[in-house]
Amino acid sequence: QVLILKGLKHEVSRLCPSPDGLHLAVGYEDGSIRIFSLLSGEASVAFNGHKAAVTALQYDQLGGRLVSGSKDTDVIVWDVINESGLYRLKGHKDAVTQVLFLKKNLLVTSGKDTLVKWWDLDTQHCFKTLVGHRTEVWGMALVSEEKRLITGTADSELRVWDISYIQEVKDPDEPETKKSKGSSPGVEKDTEEDETVELDECPEERLLKCTKVGSIMREGRDRVVSLATDRTGKVLACHGTDAVLEVFSVLSEEEIQKKLEKKMKKAKKKAKRKPEEEEPEGSVELSLQEEIQRVTNIRASAKIKSFDLILSPKGELKIVLLLQNNIIELYTLNLSAQVPQAVRASRITIGGHRSDVRTLAFSSDNIAILSGAAESVKIWNRSTLQCIRTMDCEYALCSLFVPGDRQVIVGTKARKLQLYDLASGSLLETLNAHDGAVWSIALSPDQRGFVTGGADKCVKFWDFELVKDESSVQKRLSVKQVRILQLDEDVLCVRYSPNQKLLAVSLLDCTVKVFYTDTLKFFLSLYGHKLPVLCMDISYDGALIATGSADRNVKIWGLDFGDCHRSLFAHDDSVMYLQFVAKSHLFFTAGKDNKIKQWDADKFEHIQTLEGHHQEVWCLALSPNGDYVVSASHDKSLRLWERTREPLILEEEREMQREAEYEESVAKEEQPVVAGETQGETGLAGKKTIETIKAAEQIMEAIELYREEMAKLKEHRAICKAAGKEVPFPVNPILRAYGNITPSEYVLEVFKKVQSSELEESLLVLPFSYVPDLLRLFNEHIHLGAEVELLCRALLFLLKIHFGQITSNQMLVTVIENLKKTTISRVSKARDVLGFNMAGLQYLKREIEAKDEVMFFADATDRFEEKKRKRKKKEKEKMVLAVV
């Protein structure tokens, strides 16, 4: 492990490294993108534009732009250097699955709407749509120096498309000129007329043509999950929803030429043998299967989630696979071998589970944590977070530590109770406990036994006992069944009251029945939930019982009369687990809505929400001292929460919750519209967020402060004039804090603090009444040459969105005239500086290259002489052979 990049609370949905390998772009489930520096590990840039999860990310060749696609169907192009959004491209009708940059400032995007769209980024316009797919396009890859596109869909075909650029530019450094409709220098003369006709008919064919060549068949029958090439484009790989990665080799131009020559020779030989069947030379062609050859299939140990590959110059291919069960595997493949075989070089597995954890338990000393999943039971040390023991088991559903913490008991889906010894990590005994899954287990308060509830409509009582094996001298722990309570419905959960007088049993008929433990006589029925009670717990004093149900409610009942004190709407989905904190009436609930919540059973209040899991939370366990909570989720993680000593103020929690709700509502609102602009293919890259609103408010406050200070200054001058002497002027404390700057400089400081990616959106929500002051201030600062680039960007955007109001306002005519003069002069000055610097850098580059050439020149002449000698030698040998 080299580096951990710490993000915010949302799940990562996409990764993309920059071409220079120094940065990593990370897309999140909430639609945000952050760019991390791999040298420092810090997140340097953040972009907010998407409303849903980021599904595709790609840098351009230089790494200056980043394009992102999302589930919200939009594609956004971001400027990484300026840290701002350039534009949003709209056109897909479903989630975008892949985005790729092409050399000529073009972009290809594919989506779940079965379309592949081609965009011209100069005009921000979709000039072509491929409609040859019947199902969702799940992946795309460019091969053969961007002359071929391969698409993967929901069937077993990989479709191959040929891309031919019609505007071939002779010199790459020459500026591109837009050709007229007819001109097509890349086409031979004899087809020029037909081409012109075709271009007139289909104006979108002006930039490139894309034709289907054929298909390569995959072995997998299901959809393509990911399809990618290595950096060189020589190797193509793809996988479906299974554990097989299919690797293909893409031949280069030279290799295709060699193959064709071989084929031609064979064809000529055939023609010589059978002179009557004269075969024309031109008909020799390579099939698509020969140009893109299957290399091998790699079978991983579990289903593949994603992969990446790198081809070394020696021809060795390294493939890294991330599997669904949290394992990373590295395979090596020698492509130059006769029959390439993939070899697993290494794998990374951390001590966690490979499937969902369904049960958790704390030891009585608060140190050990037990977690049980479908394949194993693990014991963890709470303080070091290390896995101490792993013991194979059947599908675990419930568990407990035997008093003394030396053994554990696990109830399984396969009707068994399994007893393990922790010291040796061995299975001591397996008992057939129920005729159905063992859903719940509870230790009796006197610690002499426990009770289990199962899907066979039985509650069974067990006692611990010491038995002597025939083989060993020492006695070992075992369990024996003492009593049985037969019920009418499946038992989902069982709990003892702390004084062991009562036993609460939750049934599949949505009720909780309470029995006397000694006589097993019926005492109370708690009826009120609409769906089965999945979890419950009784408080330490036996006064309250809290029940959590699949109907998303938690009900708090009195155990003396069985009256319902309060019903709380707890989660947005089923309540999966509930447990009281020791020595208090506070309890925790875990829900399928990814949240863990803490409640007060006396005041019926929600105290706090613990957010961290990305998927359903299955279970939790509280330490006996109440200081720790451990939770397990469908995201395969265990999370440990610690009680801190800092006080929790409920009002603040409520305020934070309201803020979070407001943020969500802001993101869902319709985005502000620019007056006079119609909704087309393109839009603004950013989105309205709480940050952009705050930034707009800060700009407004700064302008208001500027207005107040200017009014005060006017008054002060009048006072000085009346008094006939200089009266001391009181400085605003905010301006003093910034080092006694002028009010106009303060507005500029606030502007500089607005994040580059949020500038446009902040100006969009700014009321027009502040714009005239801003324009005057811009004029003042641009005239002084301060932050010309930033202010010009803001100025042009304000002119664009408030064009009508600015032009119709007589007061602003002189301001705009002045701005026109100052901006033109200042921008041309900035351009001259840039030009001068560029020329200087190019001069330095030439100087360095010249030095290098001098150094290599001596070597080059030696090599040339050596080649000459060898050539003469060979010629002599040939002459001798000829003479002989």
Side-chain angles (χ1 to χ4, degrees):
Q1 188 174 304
V2 185
L3 189 61
I4 293 178
L5 304 174
K6 287 236 183 320
L8 301 174
K9 62 185 176 185
H10 293 283
E11 192 175 355
V12 173
S13 58
R14 197 76 186 184
L15 296 174
C16 179
S18 64
D20 58 8
L22 298 176
H23 294 91
L24 182 71
V26 182
Y28 291 92
E29 276 295 313
D30 66 336
S32 62
I33 299 164
R34 297 179 72 155
I35 297 175
F36 289 90
S37 160
L38 294 177
L39 301 174
S40 64
E42 298 293 314
S44 49
V45 186
F47 294 132
N48 276 310
H50 292 293
K51 288 182 184 175
V54 176
T55 50
L57 276 178
Q58 186 74 33
Y59 275 98
D60 68 352
Q61 270 93 350
L62 298 170
R65 287 177 303 173
L66 177 72
V67 62
S68 63
S70 162
K71 277 186 184 171
D72 65 5
T73 76
D74 288 348
V75 175
I76 302 181
V77 181
W78 307 92
D79 183 341
V80 178
I81 297 155
N82 196 21
E83 299 181 14
S84 64
L86 294 173
Y87 39 82
R88 180 188 300 261
L89 303 171
K90 302 170 188 173
H92 282 288
K93 301 281 182 286
D94 204 340
V96 179
T97 53
Q98 181 66 291
V99 284
L100 297 169
F101 271 109
L102 274 85
K103 282 172 190 161
K104 296 193 172 181
N105 206 18
L106 304 177
L107 183 72
V108 198
T109 61
S110 66
K112 281 167 77 173
D113 54 2
T114 76
L115 303 177
V116 173
K117 285 183 171 286
W118 299 78
W119 306 84
D120 180 3
L121 297 184
D122 293 329
T123 56
Q124 296 148 38
H125 158 67
C126 174
F127 65 89
K128 190 177 185 64
T129 302
L130 286 187
V131 287
H133 302 95
R134 302 271 171 85
T135 54
E136 301 99 327
V137 182
W138 288 103
M140 288 192 304
L142 287 162
V143 293
S144 310
E145 293 165 358
E146 297 190 2
K147 287 185 181 146
R148 263 211 177 135
L149 179 75
I150 296 171
T151 56
T153 59
D155 52 24
S156 53
E157 280 183 52
L158 292 179
R159 289 167 178 76
V160 184
W161 309 78
D162 254 351
I163 304 167
S164 51
Y165 297 96
I166 289 168
Q167 294 181 2
E168 293 289 350
V169 181
K170 282 156 195 153
D171 183 5
D173 296 329
E174 202 174 86
E176 265 195 42
T177 51
K178 284 271 173 265
K179 307 282 194 297
S180 62
K181 279 187 187 179
S183 71
S184 44
V187 184
E188 283 89 35
K189 287 203 169 107
D190 53 349
T191 60
E192 206 166 291
E193 281 173 34
D194 316 338
E195 197 67 51
T196 313
V197 174
E198 206 176 298
L199 287 175
D200 280 335
E201 284 169 11
C202 316
E204 68 259 23
E205 302 269 280
R206 235 171 285 164
L207 295 167
L208 56 79
K209 282 180 75 177
C210 189
T211 48
K212 189 176 173 187
V213 191
S215 295
I216 307 163
M217 299 307 288
R218 288 166 49 231
E219 283 181 10
R221 290 275 163 267
D222 45 7
R223 77 172 180 89
V224 170
V225 174
S226 43
L227 169 76
T229 61
D230 70 314
R231 283 274 174 97
T232 58
K234 286 182 183 172
V235 181
L236 172 80
C238 69
H239 70 88
T241 52
D242 51 8
V244 178
L245 181 80
E246 301 182 38
V247 185
F248 299 89
S249 167
V250 182
L251 297 190
S252 63
E253 293 277 324
E254 295 144 25
E255 289 167 326
I256 290 173
Q257 211 53 47
K258 279 181 188 172
K259 276 212 159 189
L260 270 174
E261 280 169 15
K262 274 187 187 175
K263 269 203 157 187
M264 290 282 276
K265 278 180 186 173
K266 277 187 185 176
K268 279 177 184 173
K269 277 184 185 176
K270 264 192 183 178
K272 277 178 186 173
R273 282 182 206 150
K274 298 177 184 175
E276 66 277 357
E277 289 177 28
E278 277 196 28
E279 207 173 299
E281 285 180 19
S283 68
V284 179
E285 275 185 7
L286 282 187
S287 69
L288 187 65
Q289 274 66 26
E290 286 173 305
E291 288 182 35
I292 300 172
Q293 299 170 334
R294 179 183 294 280
V295 178
T296 185
N297 285 358
I298 297 173
R299 185 169 288 280
S301 59
K303 285 184 179 177
I304 303 170
K305 210 171 183 179
S306 66
F307 73 94
D308 200 10
L309 37 138
I310 187 165
L311 184 65
S312 67
K314 292 175 185 173
E316 187 189 43
L317 182 69
K318 287 184 177 172
I319 302 171
V320 65
L321 304 174
L322 170 64
L323 309 182
Q324 289 281 13
N325 60 4
N326 273 356
I327 293 180
I328 295 173
E329 293 187 338
L330 174 70
Y331 288 84
T332 56
L333 187 66
N334 189 4
L335 293 177
S336 53
Q338 208 71 40
V339 182
Q341 284 292 324
V343 182
R344 191 168 82 195
S346 59
R347 64 192 296 192
I348 301 171
T349 56
I350 308 172
H353 286 277
R354 301 282 154 248
S355 54
D356 289 11
V357 173
R358 286 290 178 159
T359 175
L360 290 165
F362 253 104
S363 62
S364 59
D365 58 4
N366 309 299
I367 289 173
I369 298 168
L370 175 150
S371 62
E375 81 295 327
S376 65
V377 171
K378 288 179 185 279
I379 308 293
W380 305 80
N381 182 322
R382 192 214 74 229
S383 51
T384 62
L385 306 180
Q386 294 301 313
C387 179
I388 313 163
R389 285 271 180 280
T390 300
M391 301 165 287
D392 290 340
C393 74
E394 292 173 25
Y395 200 118
L397 292 176
C398 55
S399 60
L400 57 80
F401 275 89
V402 174
D405 299 334
R406 294 193 177 176
Q407 291 89 9
V408 293
I409 293 174
V410 177
T412 70
K413 202 174 185 177
R415 315 169 184 186
K416 294 187 178 75
L417 280 179
Q418 294 185 304
L419 178 64
Y420 291 90
D421 178 53
L422 293 187
S424 60
S426 60
L427 177 64
L428 295 178
E429 196 174 352
T430 301
L431 297 160
N432 281 325
H434 288 264
D435 292 335
V438 183
W439 284 117
S440 184
I441 190 167
L443 188 67
S444 62
D446 65 3
Q447 303 201 335
R448 289 185 180 175
F450 59 93
V451 61
T452 58
D456 59 353
K457 306 179 185 177
C458 286
V459 173
K460 295 191 178 182
F461 294 81
W462 308 79
D463 274 357
F464 297 117
E465 61 173 358
L466 290 168
V467 295
K468 195 172 179 184
D469 282 338
E470 292 168 10
S471 54
S472 68
V473 184
Q474 283 182 324
K475 287 186 174 182
R476 68 165 180 83
L477 184 84
S478 179
V479 294
K480 64 172 181 187
Q481 188 181 318
V482 193
R483 289 186 294 169
I484 190 165
L485 170 63
Q486 188 67 42
L487 294 155
D488 303 332
E489 291 282 344
D490 288 15
V491 177
L492 297 177
C493 187
V494 287
R495 286 290 178 269
Y496 271 114
S497 67
N499 57 10
Q500 211 171 327
K501 273 189 180 174
L502 303 171
L503 176 76
V505 182
S506 124
L507 302 174
L508 201 59
D509 63 0
C510 313
T511 63
V512 175
K513 302 262 195 295
V514 185
F515 298 91
Y516 289 106
T517 310
D518 46 4
T519 60
L520 295 186
K521 276 189 178 168
F522 175 72
F523 170 49
L524 288 171
S525 177
L526 310 178
Y527 178 79
H529 282 290
K530 295 183 183 72
L531 289 169
V533 173
L534 303 176
C535 53
M536 60 180 174
D537 200 17
I538 298 172
S539 63
Y540 75 103
D541 53 5
L544 300 173
I545 177 169
T547 56
S549 161
D551 65 7
R552 305 183 284 184
N553 289 308
V554 167
K555 288 186 190 288
I556 299 161
W557 318 73
L559 251 189
D560 37 10
F561 304 112
D563 54 326
C564 180
H565 290 187
R566 185 63 67 94
S567 183
L568 303 165
F569 182 71
H571 289 271
D572 297 332
D573 207 331
S574 304
V575 183
M576 296 306 295
Y577 209 86
L578 185 153
Q579 194 174 347
F580 272 100
V581 180
K583 308 260 186 312
S584 77
H585 280 180
L586 303 176
F587 64 91
F588 281 94
T589 58
K592 270 191 174 179
D593 60 354
N594 316 352
K595 294 187 178 85
I596 298 162
K597 295 186 179 182
Q598 189 183 10
W599 308 83
D600 186 337
D602 291 332
K603 296 177 184 167
F604 315 120
E605 279 188 320
H606 171 217
I607 299 170
Q608 63 175 336
T609 302
L610 305 177
E611 288 187 32
H613 284 293
H614 302 310
Q615 282 166 323
E616 303 97 313
V617 184
W618 296 128
C619 56
L620 54 85
L622 273 123
S623 60
N625 62 5
D627 281 347
Y628 297 95
V629 178
V630 63
S631 57
S633 158
H634 182 49
D635 62 15
K636 312 249 188 329
S637 69
L638 294 179
R639 286 174 190 263
L640 183 67
W641 314 82
E642 186 179 6
R643 177 158 65 185
T644 56
R645 294 283 165 260
E646 63 185 73
L648 191 82
I649 297 149
L650 288 183
E651 279 309 308
E652 281 182 12
E653 287 292 313
R654 302 271 178 286
E655 186 60 37
M656 279 159 67
Q657 202 176 336
R658 280 195 291 271
E659 269 186 20
E661 281 168 12
Y662 176 65
E663 276 186 49
E664 274 181 30
S665 67
V666 162
K668 284 173 188 164
E669 276 175 25
E670 277 301 307
Q671 295 301 309
V673 183
V674 178
E677 284 202 4
T678 52
Q679 286 290 318
E681 282 184 320
T682 57
L684 289 174
K687 71 169 179 181
K688 185 176 164 187
T689 61
I690 201 84
E691 279 81 19
T692 60
I693 292 168
K694 281 179 184 168
E697 282 172 359
Q698 283 166 353
I699 294 170
M700 282 150 68
E701 282 167 15
I703 294 168
E704 273 161 15
L705 184 136
Y706 166 76
R707 285 174 181 168
E708 284 168 21
E709 288 301 305
M710 293 322 272
K712 278 183 194 170
L713 199 64
K714 219 175 187 180
E715 277 176 35
H716 178 253
R717 281 185 189 141
I719 291 164
C720 290
K721 204 174 182 184
K725 60 176 181 176
E726 196 65 38
V727 179
F729 179 65
V731 181
N732 189 304
I734 297 174
L735 300 179
R736 186 174 287 159
Y738 275 85
N740 285 344
I741 56 174
T742 63
S744 64
E745 281 171 349
Y746 174 67
V747 177
L748 182 65
E749 283 300 316
V750 169
F751 244 90
K752 278 167 32 185
K753 279 186 180 167
V754 176
Q755 276 203 355
S756 183
S757 56
E758 290 163 4
L759 182 66
E760 274 88 358
E761 286 297 320
S762 305
L763 292 173
L764 200 52
V765 293
L766 193 74
F768 181 73
S769 56
Y770 292 93
V771 173
D773 287 321
L774 264 183
L775 294 177
R776 290 186 187 99
L777 287 167
F778 284 177
N779 187 25
E780 186 184 316
H781 288 299
I782 293 171
H783 188 69
L784 296 170
E787 299 292 331
V788 176
E789 196 182 330
L790 172 74
L791 295 181
C792 282
R793 186 178 145 200
L795 169 67
L796 293 173
F797 186 73
L798 284 172
L799 291 175
K800 179 182 164 187
I801 59 174
H802 297 300
F803 179 76
Q805 283 165 297
I806 291 172
T807 47
S808 60
N809 192 331
Q810 288 298 316
M811 308 276 284
L812 292 175
V813 173
T814 50
V815 180
I816 294 293
E817 280 297 319
N818 292 338
L819 267 169
K820 188 176 161 187
K821 287 174 197 162
T822 47
T823 45
I824 289 170
S825 65
R826 279 291 166 190
V827 169
S828 55
K829 226 179 207 179
R831 198 172 57 194
D832 292 346
V833 170
L834 280 174
F836 181 80
N837 290 345
M838 282 288 287
L841 286 168
Q842 276 165 351
Y843 171 73
L844 283 172
K845 183 183 166 191
R846 283 197 299 273
E847 286 290 298
I848 292 163
E849 279 174 358
K851 273 186 184 175
D852 287 351
E853 274 170 17
V854 169
M855 284 170 74
F856 288 126
F857 189 66
D859 292 352
T861 46
D862 289 350
R863 272 190 228 136
F864 183 67
E865 292 294 327
E866 187 67 31
K867 275 185 183 172
K868 225 177 184 182
R869 263 187 240 119
K870 279 184 182 174
R871 204 180 299 136
K872 277 183 181 174
K873 210 176 182 183
K874 273 185 185 173
E875 279 171 6
K876 272 183 186 175
E877 283 171 4
K878 277 182 187 173
M879 280 172 74
V880 170
L881 282 169
V883 170
V884 170

